Amino acid sequence: MRPIHSALEIVALIGQRQPIGVSAIARDTGLPKTTAHRVLQTLHAAGWIKPDANEGASWSLSIRAALAVGSAQRATRQLHGAAFPIMEELRNTTGESVYLAVRDADTLALIERLDGRNPLAHAWPLWQRGPLHATSLGKSMLAHLDPAELEACLNATLPRMTRQTKTDRSAIEAELAVTRARGFATSFRENWPNENGVGAATRNT
């Protein structure tokens, strides 16, 4: 099952970091470069990835992968329908961009975005994954996890996205306590430079 696991891991990484080259893929997955190259060729032959025309020897997801994402969009249609009017009202009131994301293990994936009136330094692509510990949306999710799930997330390697990213566990736990008390989380230049965010989690009750 290891080859299948490696292939899925590489597809997820390409989706998050595309376009990305084989050296970065091997480094981030811990696979030998020859193994990563072999998996990439297999995925390319199967139609799941394609060479990036603008980035030399780099890879991006293919149309076939995008169609698979379309199936995921159908799975979240009910959530999208319930959230969209609220997102639109919030965007119109604040003039800021509004994001809707769902958690998957120790990451989140953006499933809807309404761009605000203010110029965007960075537009987060739909269905791209992001870290929980460095985003306001992610931190709001972390704050409401049960102890076992939170332990697993905080024990994972926490990448430093910018110079402002908190990776110290005690600092993150202190911030999560504040988030629980006030009902929302904040992120100040922690995921992307020059971008700030406010996030709140919606839970099933």
Side-chain angles (χ1 to χ4, degrees), residues 5 11 17 50 56 114 125 133 174-175 177 190 197:
H5 181 274
V11 167
R17 301 261 310 276
K50 62 178 182 178
L114 293 182
H133 69 290
E175 186 171 0
E190 295 176 55

Side-chain angles (χ1 to χ4, degrees), residues 2-3 6 10 22 26 31-41:
R2 179 61 189 174
S6 298
I10 287 175
V22 62
L31 294 170
K33 190 172 180 179
T34 54
T35 301
H37 178 76
R38 186 167 60 250
V39 174
L40 287 167
Q41 294 304 316

Side-chain angles (χ1 to χ4, degrees), residues 62-122:
S62 67
I63 294 298
R64 182 173 186 178
L67 292 173
V69 169
S71 297
Q73 288 177 316
R74 287 193 292 273
T76 59
R77 186 174 296 163
Q78 185 176 6
L79 174 60
H80 176 280
F84 191 84
I86 299 170
M87 295 174 65
E88 192 169 36
E89 181 181 0
L90 185 58
R91 189 266 306 273
N92 293 340
T93 300
T94 65
E96 301 293 339
S97 298
V98 182
Y99 294 147
L100 176 66
V102 294
R103 183 177 73 93
D104 180 24
D106 59 353
T107 65
L108 58 81
L110 185 70
I111 64 172
E112 184 56 86
R113 183 187 80 225
L114 293 182
D115 294 336
R117 293 190 296 269
N118 299 322
L120 284 174
H122 179 277

